[in-house]
């Protein structure tokens, strides 16, 4: 936001960015008290109003309320859980999800990580993870297929100039998605350091609002929990999310011979209003090539 810039909507003063976010989130600017100079509404005011609305509005679940047997415990919904419930419900209801699953021959990826472990650790003091590698390759694929990186708005498709990849982090009481900004412009060492730092501070509750907003695509990895594959709900206003399972040894046909091989299953959830099936398939095919032949990133 540029200092001193103010847009007026009737008697409401708001910065251009605040107006844009309010339109995207469906927030009424007239009901927000601005914290900027002269009472101007700024981005943080809109973000707080959006979170407050998610908390105040009850989440309705169709069906009969289950009876509580004697001794049944009830855990009050935390603020974070209410927000997650509201946003996930809205996303699944408003975005027509479709899913594409792709199995990856991950032997080269496993070998690459093994080779990079001592190099990245010596340079950064951090151990490179498969998530770090996937984020790097996803950013490259989004460069190639920008429609998967876009937003669907009321009257237009917003082609995002930046590739900001969110990484889902599980907390004790919910889920948070810190964002690696301009991931396509960062090297693997920088991505590894940033994801480690963001994940650590996420678990400590020390992330800033800027670090959990502005994502254009999300990666969710449950492989460390032994999950084979799963489908994920899109993190609005994004148009797609990639779910990553565990890398496991499975039978694989190689040159007419069945051999044990490291395999990885990826599932893309996409918003069909903006991402066509053929585009999603091409994106996944390109990503598959990068993961199976990771040295192609150097070309």
């Amino acid at each position: 936001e540029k200092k001193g810039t103010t847009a007026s909507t009737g008697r409401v003063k708001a910065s251009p960015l605040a107006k844009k976010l309010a339109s995207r989130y469906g927030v009424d600017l007239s009901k927000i008290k601005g914290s900027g100079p002269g009472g101007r509404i700024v981005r943080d005011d809109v973000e707080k109003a959006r979170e407050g609305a998610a908390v105040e509005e009850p989440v309705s679940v169709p069906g009969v309320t289950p009876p509580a047997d004697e001794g049944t415990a009830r855990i009050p919904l935390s603020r974070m859980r209410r927000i997650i419930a509201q946003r996930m419900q809205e996303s699944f209801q408003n975005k027509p999800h479709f899913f594409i699953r792709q199995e990856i021959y991950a032997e080269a990826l496993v070998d690459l990580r093994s080779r990079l472990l001592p190099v990245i650790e010596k340079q950064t003091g951090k151990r490179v993870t498969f998530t770090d590698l996937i984020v790097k390759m996803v950013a490259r694929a989004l460069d190639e297929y920008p429609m998967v990186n876009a937003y669907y708005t009321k009257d237009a498709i917003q082609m995002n100039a930046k590739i900001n990849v969110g990484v889902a982090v599980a907390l004790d009481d919910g889920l948070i998605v810190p964002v690696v900004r301009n991931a396509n412009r960062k090297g693997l060492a920088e991505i590894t350091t940033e994801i480690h730092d963001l994940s650590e501070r996420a678990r400590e509750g020390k992330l800033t609002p800027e670090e959990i907003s502005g994502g254009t695509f999300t990666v969710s990895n449950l492989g460390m929990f032994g999950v084979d594959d799963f489908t994920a709900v899109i993190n609005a206003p994004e148009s797609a999310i990639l779910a990553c399972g565990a890398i496991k040894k499975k039978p694989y046909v190689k040159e007419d011979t069945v051999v044990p091989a490291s395999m990885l299953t990826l599932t893309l959830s996409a918003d069909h209003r903006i991402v066509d099936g053929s585009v999603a398939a091409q994106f996944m095919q390109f990503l598959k090539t990068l993961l199976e032949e990771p040295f192609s990133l150097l070309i």
Side-chain angles (χ1 to χ4, degrees):
E1 283 184 49
K2 295 181 180 178
K3 291 183 178 179
T5 61
T6 301
S8 179
T9 307
R11 286 185 285 177
V12 178
K13 292 182 178 180
S15 69
L17 180 55
K19 286 186 66 181
K20 182 178 178 182
L21 289 175
S23 176
R24 181 188 302 167
Y25 297 153
V27 173
D28 187 351
L29 287 174
S30 66
K31 296 180 180 179
I32 300 177
K33 183 178 180 181
S35 62
R40 181 183 61 162
I41 298 169
V42 295
R43 176 180 60 186
D44 285 350
D45 299 326
V46 177
E47 293 285 1
K48 289 176 183 176
R50 182 196 184 197
E51 290 190 2
V55 172
E56 290 165 13
E57 186 175 339
V59 179
S60 59
V61 180
V64 179
T65 302
D69 294 331
E70 186 177 349
T72 299
R74 287 176 59 84
I75 302 173
L77 291 174
S78 67
R79 181 172 181 270
M80 176 178 286
R81 177 52 60 191
R82 284 182 180 273
I83 293 173
I84 291 171
Q86 184 71 22
R87 291 182 181 173
M88 291 300 97
Q89 178 177 301
E90 288 175 355
S91 176
F92 207 71
Q93 287 178 337
N94 297 332
K95 290 179 176 290
H97 286 54
F98 75 98
F99 311 99
I100 290 183
R101 185 170 286 103
Q102 187 76 273
E103 195 166 41
I104 309 296
Y105 177 76
E107 286 292 327
L109 185 66
V110 172
D111 180 61
L112 178 64
R113 179 176 179 264
S114 296
R115 294 188 185 193
L116 288 172
L117 269 171
V119 178
I120 300 294
E121 192 164 9
K122 183 178 180 180
Q123 185 176 343
T124 67
K126 310 293 183 183
R127 289 174 63 84
V128 63
T129 68
F130 287 114
T131 298
D132 304 334
L133 288 164
I134 290 170
V135 166
K136 172 67 177 174
M137 295 177 192
V138 160
R140 173 68 185 88
L142 291 171
D143 238 341
E144 194 74 16
Y145 294 93
M147 192 63 74
V148 184
N149 192 60
Y151 292 159
Y152 181 92
T153 67
K154 291 179 180 178
D155 54 5
I157 294 173
Q158 180 177 314
M159 302 301 293
N160 294 311
K162 295 181 179 180
I163 293 176
N164 300 333
V165 181
V167 180
V169 177
L171 306 178
D172 290 339
D173 60 344
L175 185 75
I176 197 165
V177 185
V179 176
V180 179
R181 297 182 182 279
N182 299 306
N184 57 321
R185 299 179 185 175
K186 293 177 177 176
L188 184 60
E190 190 175 0
I191 287 174
T192 297
T193 301
E194 193 166 335
I195 289 178
H196 274 72
D197 175 62
L198 289 169
S199 299
E200 211 170 275
R201 290 190 294 108
R203 295 185 181 100
E204 295 170 352
K206 295 180 179 179
L207 292 176
T208 65
E210 289 75 18
E211 290 172 326
I212 56 174
S213 61
T216 58
F217 185 95
T218 294
V219 171
S220 180
N221 189 355
L222 293 180
M224 65 285 292
F225 300 110
V227 174
D228 290 326
D229 66 85
F230 67 104
T231 55
V233 177
I234 298 167
N235 186 26
E238 298 165 20
S239 296
I241 183 171
L242 186 72
C244 311
I247 295 177
K248 291 185 176 182
K249 287 286 186 181
K250 296 180 181 179
Y252 179 76
V253 179
K254 186 176 183 181
E255 298 175 356
D256 296 328
T257 304
V258 178
V259 298
S262 297
M263 304 298 293
L264 164 66
T265 301
L266 303 177
T267 305
L268 181 75
S269 305
D271 182 346
H272 219 326
R273 296 176 302 175
I274 179 173
V275 182
D276 293 330
S278 60
V279 173
Q282 290 174 64
F283 170 82
M284 289 294 280
Q285 188 176 47
F286 187 84
L287 182 59
K288 175 182 171 72
T289 300
L290 290 178
L291 291 166
E292 293 186 340
E293 303 171 16
F295 288 103
S296 61
L297 274 174
L298 302 175
I299 300 174

